[in-house]
Amino acid sequence: MGMKKLSPQRRSDLAGMAAVLLLLAVVLPATLDPFRLNLVSKYLAFAFVAIGVVLTWGYGGVLSLGQGMFFGLGGYMMAMFLKLEASAPELPDFMVWSSVDQLPSWWVPFHSLGWTVVGILAIPAVLAYVFSYAIFKRRVSGVYFAIVTLSLALTLTVVVVGQQGDTGGANGITDFRTLLGWDIAGDDAKRVMYFIEVLAVALVMAVSLVIVRSRFGKILIAIRDREDRVRFSGYNTAHMKAFVFAVAAVLSSIGGAFYSLQVGLIAPGVIGVVASVEMVIYAAVGGRLSIPGAVIGALLIGFLKSYLSETFPEGWLYFLGAVFILVVWAMPNGLAGLGDKLLRRSRRDGAEAAP
């Protein structure tokens, strides 16, 4: 029996994914110097978050303005392990400066890389599911859910900054150079980690595409469009939305862990309101219905943010706001939607010109 013919939608998914991986795995490593490639690694960390935003907002209709919370959780957990390794057998330096005499009990599991990885994957998933299910069960959604997540991100930032002795305060956790004795600060190590990160992005894109093209994905779209009808059909819509929100939280946490590894620090700035809104902009620019587009959006906005913050340090935030408004107004499906529109027009013109 022959293979089933791929639908145009699936062909488009595979083509987009292949183009992104070609860019990440071949073009950029061959053309960029180590410093610029490390910047791409930093932007890729946010691509995980953007893919999660596509799942929740684009397909589930759930807009979260607090994904920085989960990004920060993953980043801080990885940084805690790296900091304990760098400080062993002493306490981390910021704890000594804050007159902390004994390692806090909740830091102890992060002596182990295995438990750290479990924490990065499990803690955000559990917290996100329990919190969002309780909210969705009460049928709170739309702008109200966005405001709640935004408030939580702001609250977590205040808590992290206030706990100087436990979290490093406003300075965050810095000054770590090794992972299980492997020097991760050199150019060769950062290049290896870059390709590991690209592999992780490829895996996440593949899994996300399977989710959105599955039966669950179709039900998720139905919930987005007419949740009341899906609920009357017997589906537990609160559970389904909470599940996809938990998946997005795990992706954000993984991105935060890679951020700590690649950048060499984690600070409250990546948890707060501005960072969380930026994460939504990545998905909006790339296309809130496109998994590969989310990666491109993260890379593009990350590059523009770096360039504009250096060139126009006082005005780059206004630019990001203008980009978000422009995309929502003129390109509701982002760059991916614009590309699909141009491709369809090209095919139509070609068909009309054919004899």
Side-chain angles (χ1 to χ4, degrees):
M1 183 180 294
M3 294 178 61
K4 288 179 64 178
K5 186 178 179 180
L6 292 175
S7 66
Q9 198 172 45
R10 289 187 181 274
R11 287 201 301 270
S12 177
D13 290 340
L14 293 176
M17 183 174 170
V20 169
L21 292 179
L22 179 65
L23 174 69
L24 294 177
V26 179
V27 177
L28 295 182
T31 57
L32 297 181
D33 58 68
F35 173 75
R36 296 295 175 185
L37 193 64
N38 186 239
L39 285 181
V40 174
S41 300
K42 175 183 173 182
Y43 308 150
L44 270 185
F46 293 104
F48 291 94
V49 192
I51 292 172
V53 172
V54 167
L55 293 177
T56 55
W57 181 35
Y59 287 91
V62 177
L63 176 59
S64 170
L65 296 179
Q67 292 306 100
M69 292 184 295
F70 306 113
F71 186 87
L73 279 175
Y76 268 92
M77 282 187 276
M78 178 56 73
M80 288 161 67
F81 168 77
L82 297 172
K83 189 64 176 178
L84 287 175
E85 180 177 321
S87 304
E90 307 294 333
L91 289 175
D93 47 16
F94 63 85
M95 291 186 182
V96 176
W97 300 335
S98 302
S99 302
V100 174
D101 298 325
Q102 186 176 1
L103 189 71
S105 58
W106 57 278
W107 271 71
V108 173
F110 297 99
H111 278 293
S112 164
L113 179 59
W115 282 114
T116 300
V117 172
V118 170
I120 290 169
L121 299 177
I123 293 177
V126 173
L127 291 178
Y129 181 85
V130 172
F131 156 73
S132 61
Y133 184 78
I135 296 292
F136 295 141
K137 193 70 175 175
R138 290 168 173 77
R139 300 186 184 178
V140 175
S141 59
V143 67
Y144 302 104
F145 184 79
I147 291 172
V148 170
T149 55
L150 191 68
S151 302
L152 287 174
L154 180 60
T155 301
L156 184 59
T157 304
V158 173
V159 171
V160 170
V161 172
Q163 300 299 314
Q164 171 73 37
D166 291 340
T167 63
N171 295 323
I173 304 177
T174 62
D175 194 24
F176 34 80
R177 300 179 58 88
T178 62
L179 174 65
L180 297 178
W182 177 41
D183 184 359
I184 58 174
D187 290 343
D188 291 340
K190 287 187 178 296
R191 188 176 180 87
V192 171
M193 287 193 297
Y194 170 80
F195 282 106
I196 293 173
E197 190 173 12
V198 170
L199 182 62
V201 168
L203 180 61
V204 165
M205 282 197 295
V207 171
S208 299
L209 287 172
V210 169
I211 290 175
V212 299
R213 301 306 176 208
S214 66
R215 185 169 180 268
F216 173 79
K218 292 180 174 62
I219 297 173
L220 201 61
I221 294 172
I223 292 173
R224 179 196 67 193
D225 295 338
R226 289 300 300 267
E227 183 175 356
D228 52 348
R229 290 190 177 183
V230 179
R231 191 185 300 116
F232 293 151
S233 298
Y235 290 99
N236 186 341
T237 60
H239 165 71
M240 291 184 167
K241 291 197 295 184
F243 173 78
V244 77
F245 185 69
V247 170
V250 172
L251 297 184
S252 298
S253 181
I254 293 172
F258 274 113
Y259 181 91
S260 291
L261 282 168
Q262 297 284 12
V263 179
L265 62 89
I266 191 74
V270 300
I271 302 175
V273 172
V274 174
S276 295
V277 172
E278 284 178 13
M279 294 169 187
V280 175
I281 294 176
Y282 299 150
V285 170
R288 63 175 182 160
L289 292 173
S290 173
I291 302 297
V295 180
I296 296 299
L299 293 175
L300 180 61
I301 296 298
F303 169 76
L304 289 175
K305 178 183 173 182
S306 295
Y307 173 75
L308 292 171
S309 61
E310 294 171 2
T311 311
F312 308 103
E314 301 296 329
W316 67 273
L317 279 175
Y318 296 104
F319 170 79
L320 281 183
V323 166
F324 186 60
I325 293 172
L326 177 64
V327 167
V328 172
W329 173 60
M331 297 188 299
N333 291 323
L335 294 175
L338 180 62
D340 287 342
K341 185 177 180 180
L342 293 175
L343 185 60
R344 286 196 300 270
R345 179 178 298 177
S346 175
R347 288 173 177 170
R348 186 173 64 249
D349 293 343
E352 291 174 354

